[in-house]
Amino acid sequence: MAGVRVVEVSHYVAGPMIGRTMADLGAAVTKIELAKHGDGARNNPPFISGVSAAFAVQNLGKKSVCLDFKTPRGAQLAQALAARADVFIENFTPGVLAKYGLSYEELSRLNPRLIMCSVSSYGQLGPYAQKPGNDPVAMALSGVMSVNTHPGMAPVYTGASVTIADGVAGLHGFGAVCTALYHRMVTGKGQFIDVSLAHAMAHINHPAIARYMAGSPLPLPLGSHGTTLCPFGVFKGTGGYIVVTVHAHEWERFTQAIGKPELAQDPRYAEQTERMRNQAEVIKIVEDWMQTFPSMAEPLAALERFRINCAPVLDAAGVVTDARVGFERLLQPVEVPGGQPHSYPKTPFFFSDSQVAISGRASLLGEDNERILAAELGISDKELAELAAAGVTYHEPMVDEMRAKKLI
């Protein structure tokens, strides 16, 4: 994406994820943050050399311009940057940016080739469009949360630290932007893209929705085990948990893997319907077998020898250190001003003829005001000083501290 110019006016996860992915692929991304607090994620601990780790990972490789675009001059500057961009990304409540002249209608008059991607909780239309929303709300509305629990128990929100709906919406937005860039290459026309967290989550919940539309019963809460296959779920081993999934045609092979070939012909378990009817017994058989070993490594090895789908349930530390995942392909050290390099995961695309790389650290708030406004818009040093004095632009005090130490 070298040569693609992106202006991003977004915060937290979904919008920033689109810009971050494009930055990893070579696009030049300028992040406009509202003076004087910027993206709210900047306040989320823990901090690395004064920068939020949560903010940094979503904003690597971007330049930060901090503007009060609620002022007429700040809005003009934001419009001018958008007028020179290929892509404009925002994730404010629908209609908010229109108050400041940053709607698609206004920006497309300045730049007909502009592609604008608006990410919201529920989409730009409909009765919920103006309601606040976030990751757990989208999980609830999409139907995903309803099955993410044990039978008879309250639904569970899984995104407390992984923000599933935000991430899924961000990837949907990235795919839509790429499609719009191709469309523009063919037609010369930009366009508006409406992406929402709720719609994106409903999209990945398409199997359940399709079954319902076909007249099948609503899917039951999954808990730790499947509702159509057995064994299929999370099993307790010695010192941890293991996921094991066995499809119907793999049952005989599985019984050999666990050293109980007689179960293949046992009428209680021989057929899939019977295994589901006796699911509790099957689960106990599997867990009793697993717990005969001193660790999880031995049952995993036994299952892998018979090509049964299985894996340990890892936490973040396990993901980074477990050789099976190969996560080292994603980690890239990034320089931190005044500190040791810190590794972050880059976008997990592996091309035969291109390289994906994090292009740099996340900027401090307003760090690039002068550089971007001068280079992109030709703003003079005198006006830059006037804009800062008037509060139209802002940079956090750490910028001055780092510059004094010649660290940035």
Side-chain angles (χ1 to χ4, degrees):
M1 288 192 166
V4 176
R5 302 168 76 160
V6 180
V7 171
E8 177 195 309
V9 187
S10 62
H11 48 279
Y12 290 108
V13 181
M17 187 171 188
I18 303 173
R20 159 70 202 280
T21 304
M22 296 183 74
D24 277 9
L25 297 174
V29 182
T30 297
K31 182 182 179 77
I32 298 178
E33 300 183 67
L34 182 60
K36 64 181 181 175
H37 300 294
D39 187 333
R42 286 186 179 274
N43 301 315
N44 293 352
F47 297 90
I48 301 168
S49 296
V51 177
S52 162
F55 172 85
V57 75
Q58 290 295 337
N59 294 283
L60 294 165
K62 303 175 187 177
K63 304 303 182 187
S64 173
V65 172
C66 188
L67 293 174
D68 185 357
F69 53 73
K70 293 182 178 181
T71 65
R73 184 57 177 144
Q76 288 173 357
L77 293 171
Q79 287 179 335
L81 289 170
R84 297 170 57 83
D86 297 292
V87 179
F88 186 88
I89 303 165
E90 67 93 11
N91 67 342
F92 282 74
T93 301
V96 167
L97 290 188
K99 300 175 185 177
Y100 313 113
L102 299 174
S103 66
Y104 176 68
E105 290 72 23
E106 185 71 24
L107 296 179
S108 63
R109 279 195 287 269
L110 300 172
N111 179 2
R113 289 173 54 82
L114 182 69
I115 294 162
M116 180 169 174
C117 182
S118 290
V119 185
S120 61
S121 294
Y122 319 104
Q124 302 295 306
L125 304 174
Y128 264 37
Q130 299 300 313
K131 290 175 67 69
N134 55 13
D135 193 87
V137 168
M139 294 276 286
L141 284 175
S142 65
V144 172
M145 193 180 288
S146 70
V147 295
N148 191 34
T149 184
H150 292 275
M153 297 181 67
V156 176
Y157 171 48
T158 60
S161 61
V162 294
T163 55
I164 293 174
D166 276 290
V168 168
L171 290 174
H172 275 69
F174 171 72
V177 166
C178 290
T179 305
L181 284 168
Y182 175 77
H183 177 266
R184 192 185 70 175
M185 183 179 72
V186 175
T187 67
K189 297 178 181 178
Q191 62 183 305
F192 180 77
I193 301 167
D194 177 3
V195 173
S196 83
L197 275 67
H199 292 156
M201 287 304 295
H203 184 213
I204 67 167
N205 194 29
H206 63 271
I209 294 173
R211 287 196 297 268
Y212 168 72
M213 297 300 290
S216 295
L218 289 172
L220 298 172
L222 295 175
S224 297
H225 295 275
T227 58
T228 58
L229 293 173
C230 178
F232 193 101
V234 182
F235 299 86
K236 184 174 178 56
T238 303
Y241 291 87
I242 299 173
V243 166
V244 179
T245 66
V246 179
H247 292 275
H249 68 280
E250 297 171 330
W251 173 244
E252 183 175 356
R253 182 154 33 104
F254 176 74
T255 63
Q256 295 171 2
I258 66 172
K260 297 180 181 296
E262 68 277 7
L263 296 179
Q265 307 304 322
D266 190 315
R268 295 171 296 174
Y269 314 120
E271 299 298 328
Q272 182 62 44
T273 53
E274 295 305 315
R275 291 197 294 279
M276 286 303 304
R277 187 173 292 116
N278 297 295
Q279 187 181 49
E281 295 176 22
V282 176
I283 292 170
K284 186 174 187 308
I285 289 170
V286 176
E287 291 192 335
D288 286 349
W289 170 73
M290 287 182 172
Q291 291 173 29
T292 62
F293 298 97
S295 72
M296 293 195 296
E298 294 85 2
L300 282 168
L303 294 170
E304 288 169 356
R305 279 197 298 273
F306 284 84
R307 298 189 60 78
I308 300 297
N309 287 315
C310 60
V313 177
L314 302 177
D315 57 16
V319 172
V320 173
T321 59
D322 194 293
R324 282 168 289 204
V325 181
F327 196 68
E328 68 278 358
R329 296 178 70 196
L330 298 186
L331 287 177
Q332 178 182 327
V334 177
E335 294 293 331
V336 177
Q340 295 296 317
H342 188 78
S343 292
Y344 291 100
K346 61 186 177 182
T347 298
F349 298 162
F350 300 99
F351 298 100
S352 64
D353 197 37
S354 305
Q355 294 296 317
V356 175
I358 298 168
S359 58
R361 62 177 173 81
S363 289
L364 300 173
L365 179 60
E367 177 183 342
D368 306 295
N369 289 347
E370 295 83 358
R371 187 181 319 162
I372 294 295
L373 296 178
E376 296 286 331
L377 306 181
I379 304 295
S380 67
D381 290 345
K382 180 176 180 293
E383 187 176 358
L384 287 171
E386 291 170 350
L387 291 169
V392 176
T393 63
Y394 172 83
H395 64 251
E396 61 179 306
M398 191 181 295
V399 172
D400 293 325
E401 296 171 15
M402 291 291 185
R403 285 175 178 167
K405 296 176 182 177
K406 302 188 184 305
L407 293 175
I408 59 174

